[in-house]
Amino acid sequence: MEEAKNIAKTYDPQQVEERLYNEWMEKGYFRAEVDPDKEPFTIVIPPPNVTGQLHMGHALDETLQDILIRWKRMQGYSTLWLPGTDHAGIATQIKVEEMLRKEEGLSRYDLGREKFLERVWEWKHTYGNRIINQLKKLGSSCDWSRERFTMDEGCSKAVREVFVNLYEKGLIYQGNRIINWCPNCVTALSDAEVEYEEKAGHFWYIKYYVKDSDEFITIATTRPETMLGDTAVAVHPEDERYKHLIGKTLILPLVNREIPVIADEYVDKEFGTGAVKITPAHDPNDFEVGMRHNLPQIKVMNDDATINHHGGKYEGMDRYEARKAIIEDLTGAGLLLQTKDHVHNVGQCYRCGTTVEPITSKQWFVKMKPLAEAAIKVVKDGTIQFVPDRFSKIYLNWMENVHDWCISRQLWWGHRIPAYYCEDCGETIVSKKDITGCTKCGGKVIQDPDVLDTWFSSALWPFSTLGWPEETDDLNYFYPTSVLVTGYDIIFFWVARMIFSGMEHMKKEPFKYVFIHGIVRDSEGRKMSKSLGNGIDPLEVIEKYGADALRFTLATGNSPGNDMRFYWERVEASRNFANKIWNASRFVLMNLEINENKLPELEKLTLEDKWILSRYNNLVKEVTDNLDKFELGIAVQKLYDFIWDEFCDWYIELVKPRLYDKQSTSRLEAQYVLTYVLSNTLKLLHPFMPFITEEIWKHLPHEGESIMISAWPKYHEQYNFVEEEKQMSVIMAAIKSIRNIRAEMNVAPSRKAKLYVVTANVETFQKGKVFFERLAGASEVILSAQKEDIPEDAVSVVVEGAEMFIPLDDLVDREKEIERLEKEKQNLEKEVQRVNSKLNNHGFVSKAPAHVVEEERQKGQKYADMLAKVVERLKSLK
Ligand SMILES: [Zn+2]
Ligand SMILES: [Zn+2]
């Protein structure tokens, strides 16, 4: 095996990863084929933002997907991992605007819509592949020939098809409704795009006087500036305090407009003063009340949250300036009764953190109730399963209470809304194709200037990327997809919308499993963020330790749905694991004289061969079971334990005598078993650590071109050796106990000692003889059923089913040991004395803090225990 001996001395990921990745690409192993003889297994990637840079969250998400894909590919499925990027409306637009401002001093308005969009496309062509190239560094085995973009031709076609279909069914409508408005991004947001945070604020209590009367109603509000748009005050119809005022007129303070007192059951008598101001244009609940009572909507703010002409003297002020001025004026007019501190939930824009303003606005909406039905059913009946299951409750709760989805955004970058307005007859035309003339009167039309919410196109991702609305072979074969892997933070944004979209447009669920993972936090448990500066760049990790080490670290820490912490020490440990595998494999390769990978006849196998084969066989079953249940973290931990402990630390050590002994009749058998178990274990590890496993596997005797297209190992009942496993575990436990005693007694590894084994189980220990000699420092092993001819002062070790004795003189040099122990005894006595005098010192005990005294007491106990042991040992030696 010339090749085997050529394996590098140490493992250097830099030398291996890129070369192997290119090789896999060239051979086309990532390409998915429509193959009627195979079952498909499909994952669509959660498309990263085209502006994105790979962060730890992506690294985790992609690692989990690649593990599943590589595993299924080896199991013989026709696997498709479909990659792509998202145009990411707001994020990208802001990025390009920033660049224009910095580099050219231009705003998007200076350029105009068309020129600006040209610049965004240019930007996309230049930088859009950055994140794709970063994904490749991780080892992602995506089918890059099928790479998609949410604004490519096909996806755009799907978007228009869906918009028009839903519009024609009455499920998309345009309406003047209350929406969340970000004054900074100057666009509408959907409910899912608002993040709530508790903030300290105030309740201001304001007097609203009844017209021509001294009577007043007290109103409490957290946003006094909205009072400029009040069009009523509402009370509960049964509220005795206010019954007589219903139908009367109030004078709106500062504005001096007349507004009615109305009765509505929505008002909670017990809350605040039991009377609420109604501002239909600036509050979602008030909006509903306003609709019921036919109240006018007075919108008092501009798009940038400054006060408009309805605000009178406050016109032009920012909302917070206006708030301050209004409070001052109310105080001056004696209309402010009191101010109370109040903590309340404030909605913030998920992009920029600005407090959103609920306002009425003419926008496009998706009517959600009818669409939610099917999306609820498929999760309830288990057609789609969340992993872990607890997320299905969160999903269902959201879906059951879903509000209509505001889908229009006041941006330029995105899918333009395919609605046209006739300038002559006012007709609204929604069309799959671009049109220039009115279908009704032939007049000139203009297209709606807004674009669609980014998530409108990503909601179609599982089928738009497979060719829908065309009935392509890909769509027929790969849809529905198998698993969606994503973080819990986008269940509402994305997962929920893919589910109802799949049900509506494909009449079939978009995926069978939703595998949810948590986020990667820093070592202190904080979210990684730009502002904290605690983010860790996965590319830096890869450069230092290799992609395998990063993947292994992320997989090891993973349990479905839970957050994990990132520690550099763990990556180092993963790198050490890679080195351990490399060194063990190198040892195996250096000792191979065979060039076939096959198992010898089973009856030729020794005890340790059968033991490792049985352990390996068991590992195959367990790892496969764990992967079936999405327990990737457990699976990889088992692989680690098996490789590190059982294979490297035990089996290789156990077979060394056979490998080294050229006369051994079972030398070749050892080589076959080493090769078989190692190469198959590498297959099990391949999805987690694709590079190192491939590199080693290729040096081992093997069949086929690449480990990544080799067959996933299977469990074989005939390799299940229960009896041999039991025997080996007895021998291993005995060896461990002897090693422990020798370590305790400071016996040099080179010092050999006789070993007497008294056991009824002579057969097992007979088989273990050679191992005691090699691994437990035995110079000779004497087996007997009874305790006889054993020196009185022999050290005894008791294990299950046997008592073992080692003559003391074999282990230690009696005189020297006594001398050493005497010295230790003196030292310990001094320590005990020192602690005792401290504890007997009244001043110390009364003045020192309680925990310090307690620590001292524990120290004293520890020294006393150690001293007792030393005294005992001395006694046994004398
Ligand atoms: Zn914003
Ligand atoms: Zn017309």
Side-chain angles (χ1 to χ4, degrees):
M1 289 290 305
E2 207 44 50
E3 200 184 4
K5 309 255 149 88
N6 278 341
I7 189 164
K9 259 200 175 125
T10 51
Y11 181 61
D12 179 8
Q14 307 291 348
Q15 299 295 317
V16 173
E17 294 183 350
E18 201 178 335
R19 166 169 53 80
L20 286 181
Y21 196 84
N22 290 337
E23 203 176 298
W24 293 332
M25 289 276 279
E26 274 160 32
K27 298 268 186 178
Y29 297 152
F30 301 164
R31 262 196 69 93
E33 302 293 343
V34 172
D35 181 348
D37 295 332
K38 286 184 177 178
E39 240 186 278
F41 182 88
T42 315
I43 295 180
V44 290
I45 207 168
N49 288 355
V50 69
T51 52
Q53 289 258 52
L54 194 76
H55 57 59
M56 234 4 126
H58 295 124
L60 172 64
D61 199 52
E62 312 311 342
T63 295
L64 298 178
Q65 291 172 71
D66 199 41
I67 290 169
L68 295 175
I69 281 287
R70 284 180 183 268
W71 164 52
K72 286 290 173 182
R73 190 183 287 121
M74 290 171 78
Q75 278 194 328
Y77 289 80
S78 179
T79 47
L80 167 60
W81 184 13
L82 194 146
T85 48
D86 193 288
H87 67 280
I90 299 183
T92 309
Q93 179 164 321
I94 290 175
K95 196 137 208 164
V96 178
E97 279 184 287
E98 260 172 25
M99 186 194 74
L100 281 172
R101 193 170 49 239
K102 266 192 205 147
E103 291 176 9
E104 299 168 52
L106 294 173
S107 79
R108 67 177 151 126
Y109 302 102
D110 294 330
L111 287 177
R113 186 168 189 141
E114 225 168 284
K115 282 268 178 301
F116 176 74
L117 289 179
E118 275 173 24
R119 299 296 294 267
V120 185
W121 277 109
E122 261 173 46
W123 192 94
K124 192 249 167 196
H125 291 311
T126 315
Y127 299 107
N129 272 331
R130 192 173 47 188
I131 187 132
I132 294 294
N133 291 328
Q134 292 171 339
L135 291 181
K136 292 179 178 171
K137 290 240 182 299
L138 261 177
S140 308
S141 61
C142 301
D143 183 349
W144 299 108
S145 71
R146 285 180 166 86
E147 186 188 331
R148 299 300 298 269
F149 176 54
T150 48
M151 270 174 68
D152 66 22
E153 202 188 329
C155 289
S156 302
K157 193 174 170 197
V159 163
R160 279 187 91 140
E161 181 83 15
V162 163
F163 189 97
V164 174
N165 286 351
L166 290 178
Y167 179 79
E168 282 169 359
K169 287 180 197 162
L171 293 172
I172 278 184
Y173 65 91
Q174 197 176 26
N176 206 23
R177 314 215 13 167
I178 205 102
I179 48 99
N180 306 293
W181 183 265
C182 175
N184 183 42
C185 299
V186 200
T187 180
L189 301 172
S190 70
D191 289 346
E193 288 166 320
V194 179
E195 286 171 353
Y196 289 89
E197 197 181 294
E198 282 204 336
K199 285 207 163 168
H202 303 284
F203 255 129
W204 283 280
Y205 290 77
I206 307 167
K207 289 180 186 177
Y208 282 42
Y209 274 99
V210 178
K211 190 185 174 188
D212 300 329
S213 157
D214 290 338
E215 203 176 346
F216 62 83
I217 294 181
T218 306
I219 300 294
T221 179
T222 58
R223 295 190 296 152
E225 64 281 7
T226 60
M227 67 180 287
L228 301 171
D230 285 1
T231 53
V233 163
V235 296
H236 194 275
E238 305 301 329
D239 195 333
E240 295 300 333
R241 292 171 292 180
Y242 301 117
K243 250 185 175 170
H244 66 290
L245 294 175
I246 295 168
K248 293 253 164 72
T249 302
L250 302 175
I251 303 296
L252 183 61
L254 304 181
V255 183
N256 293 325
R257 191 157 31 79
E258 295 188 357
I259 57 172
V261 179
I262 58 167
D264 196 288
E265 306 221 322
Y266 144 74
V267 181
D268 180 356
K269 280 194 287 186
E270 311 300 326
F271 187 75
T273 63
V276 293
K277 65 198 258 322
I278 300 295
T279 325
H282 290 276
D283 180 278
N285 294 315
D286 295 6
F287 178 82
E288 299 295 332
V289 175
M291 297 288 268
R292 284 199 285 278
H293 296 269
N294 246 327
L295 298 173
Q297 297 174 358
I298 302 178
K299 194 167 145 183
V300 300
M301 280 181 210
N302 298 309
D303 287 350
D304 59 357
T306 54
I307 304 298
N308 66 16
H309 65 280
H310 288 297
K313 64 177 275 204
Y314 307 102
E315 183 178 356
M317 288 185 191
D318 170 76
R319 53 185 164 167
Y320 300 117
E321 265 177 81
R323 179 178 296 178
K324 222 175 131 202
I326 285 169
I327 294 302
E328 271 169 27
D329 291 349
L330 286 170
T331 311
L335 294 169
L336 187 72
L337 275 168
Q338 59 168 326
T339 307
K340 268 193 196 167
D341 289 342
H342 174 64
V343 176
H344 57 150
N345 269 327
V346 177
Q348 294 169 315
C349 171
Y350 85 118
R351 275 274 160 227
C352 71
T354 303
T355 299
V356 300
E357 201 62 39
I359 52 173
T360 49
S361 175
K362 195 175 186 189
Q363 302 286 348
W364 288 93
F365 296 87
V366 174
K367 198 183 270 182
M368 284 303 301
K369 281 275 174 249
L371 291 165
E373 267 173 47
I376 289 168
K377 187 175 169 288
V378 280
V379 171
K380 273 197 173 159
D381 69 15
T383 309
I384 294 177
Q385 287 178 36
F386 279 82
V387 179
D389 184 52
R390 66 175 188 270
F391 288 100
S392 60
K393 279 193 207 82
I394 296 171
Y395 165 87
L396 285 171
N397 187 40
W398 189 79
M399 213 35 133
E400 279 161 0
N401 297 291
V402 71
H403 297 288
D404 286 358
W405 175 18
C406 174
I407 50 171
S408 39
R409 295 291 180 275
Q410 287 62 54
L411 303 173
W412 287 354
W413 175 242
H415 298 279
R416 187 115 175 228
I417 289 176
Y420 300 82
Y421 310 111
C422 176
E423 289 187 322
D424 293 339
C425 73
E427 180 77 359
T428 297
I429 305 136
V430 163
S431 165
K432 287 180 193 173
K433 294 243 156 62
D434 287 344
I435 57 164
T436 52
C438 174
T439 48
K440 202 167 161 197
C441 75
K444 201 174 154 235
V445 295
I446 48 162
Q447 188 171 2
D448 193 301
D450 292 348
V451 299
L452 288 162
D453 181 1
T454 298
W455 300 97
F456 192 89
S457 51
S458 26
L460 319 178
W461 192 244
F463 49 92
S464 64
T465 52
L466 292 171
W468 189 89
E470 310 307 328
E471 264 211 37
T472 60
D473 291 345
D474 271 8
L475 187 66
N476 284 332
Y477 184 71
F478 291 112
Y479 191 92
T481 71
S482 311
V483 186
L484 180 82
V485 182
T486 193
Y488 56 67
D489 48 338
I490 52 173
I491 291 178
F492 308 141
F493 280 113
W494 192 43
V495 179
R497 288 166 182 164
M498 280 190 285
I499 294 178
F500 85 71
S501 300
M503 295 313 295
E504 177 65 16
H505 307 293
M506 294 296 297
K507 303 295 167 211
K508 203 150 180 52
E509 72 284 356
F511 27 73
K512 306 249 187 267
Y513 293 96
V514 184
F515 177 25
I516 300 283
H517 58 74
I519 56 175
V520 186
R521 297 174 176 274
D522 74 1
S523 58
E524 288 165 46
R526 300 173 303 177
K527 255 189 177 176
M528 290 187 187
S529 77
K530 262 194 197 139
S531 53
L532 284 175
N534 62 344
I536 287 164
D537 180 0
L539 297 171
E540 189 194 329
V541 180
I542 291 173
E543 202 155 299
K544 276 193 184 148
Y545 296 101
D548 282 339
L550 174 60
R551 293 168 61 115
F552 186 83
T553 304
L554 292 170
T556 303
N558 182 265
S559 82
N562 294 332
D563 291 351
M564 61 183 289
R565 292 186 185 190
F566 182 90
Y567 300 95
W568 279 103
E569 296 82 352
R570 292 234 176 109
V571 189
E572 274 169 37
S574 302
R575 189 263 327 263
N576 295 345
F577 179 51
N579 287 343
K580 177 96 175 175
I581 301 169
W582 188 262
N583 294 337
S585 304
R586 196 163 169 272
F587 171 82
V588 171
L589 285 164
M590 304 297 274
N591 286 286
L592 286 193
E593 300 151 286
I594 57 169
N595 45 29
E596 254 180 307
N597 186 353
K598 59 161 199 200
L599 276 181
E601 287 159 39
L602 295 185
E603 50 275 19
K604 286 198 178 161
L605 298 182
T606 63
L607 170 65
E608 67 273 22
D609 294 341
K610 287 185 175 172
W611 165 74
I612 196 73
L613 195 56
S614 196
R615 298 298 301 151
Y616 152 79
N617 197 37
N618 188 50
L619 179 76
V620 171
K621 188 174 172 183
E622 292 195 5
V623 166
T624 310
D625 280 354
N626 289 133
L627 287 175
D628 272 327
K629 289 188 257 174
F630 296 98
E631 295 165 346
L632 278 54
I634 298 176
V636 77
Q637 186 63 48
K638 284 179 183 165
L639 278 161
Y640 176 92
D641 292 343
F642 176 81
I643 294 171
W644 192 292
D645 297 336
E646 299 188 301
F647 187 74
C648 294
D649 285 356
W650 283 103
Y651 185 67
I652 288 184
E653 293 304 320
L654 293 170
V655 296
K656 271 182 183 171
R658 289 159 66 194
L659 294 177
Y660 293 158
D661 180 3
K662 296 287 169 203
Q663 311 303 317
S664 167
T665 50
S666 66
R667 196 175 76 244
L668 292 182
E669 276 74 26
Q671 294 178 23
Y672 280 120
V673 175
L674 276 168
T675 302
Y676 180 87
V677 173
L678 176 58
S679 72
N680 279 299
T681 305
L682 289 172
K683 287 185 184 183
L684 297 175
L685 185 64
H686 175 74
F688 302 90
M689 300 179 103
F691 295 108
I692 192 172
T693 50
E694 174 80 311
E695 185 69 1
I696 298 170
W697 184 84
K698 283 195 167 168
H699 281 88
L700 285 165
H702 63 271
E703 272 174 31
E705 280 181 350
S706 161
I707 193 172
M708 72 166 284
I709 51 165
S710 70
W712 185 254
K714 283 200 173 82
Y715 173 81
H716 296 284
E717 191 53 46
Q718 74 267 32
Y719 299 161
N720 199 14
F721 299 108
V722 182
E723 193 46 44
E724 284 81 354
E725 274 200 51
K726 243 188 246 160
Q727 290 180 337
M728 264 320 285
S729 79
V730 169
I731 292 168
M732 285 160 68
I735 291 173
K736 274 188 219 162
S737 301
I738 296 166
R739 282 177 174 172
N740 285 345
I741 275 286
R742 289 175 62 103
E744 263 174 44
M745 295 174 68
N746 284 318
V747 181
S750 56
R751 190 166 183 136
K752 303 284 175 197
K754 247 185 228 153
L755 177 69
Y756 295 90
V757 182
V758 180
T759 179
N761 189 2
V762 172
E763 192 205 332
T764 296
F765 282 86
Q766 183 67 40
K767 286 182 184 164
K769 252 183 170 177
V770 57
F771 307 131
F772 290 115
E773 287 164 11
R774 216 189 128 65
L775 303 175
S779 54
E780 188 186 343
V781 182
I782 300 123
L783 290 170
S784 64
Q786 254 97 46
K787 188 180 170 185
E788 54 199 21
D789 298 335
I790 296 171
E792 278 288 317
D793 61 356
V795 175
S796 82
V797 185
V798 182
V799 290
E800 202 194 328
E803 199 175 354
M804 301 180 291
F805 299 91
I806 308 169
L808 190 65
D809 285 325
D810 282 12
L811 290 175
V812 292
D813 203 325
R814 207 174 279 243
E815 293 311 311
K816 270 192 189 157
E817 180 69 357
I818 291 174
E819 203 178 305
R820 190 183 68 82
L821 288 170
E822 288 288 3
K823 239 185 231 160
E824 208 177 327
K825 188 180 152 212
Q826 281 169 17
N827 284 340
L828 286 167
E829 279 167 348
K830 261 186 225 155
E831 288 298 326
V832 170
Q833 215 175 359
R834 191 187 56 75
V835 173
N836 282 346
S837 69
K838 219 171 179 185
L839 289 173
N840 289 333
N841 176 348
H842 207 72
F844 169 75
V845 177
S846 61
K847 276 182 207 143
H851 74 271
V852 173
V853 177
E854 179 54 29
E855 270 167 30
E856 210 55 37
R857 208 161 259 150
Q858 282 176 11
K859 242 190 242 169
Q861 189 59 50
K862 192 180 78 186
Y863 292 136
D865 288 349
M866 285 164 73
L867 182 60
K869 266 192 196 149
V870 169
V871 170
E872 202 182 321
R873 287 271 296 125
L874 270 172
K875 228 199 268 168
S876 72
L877 285 174
K878 281 176 181 169

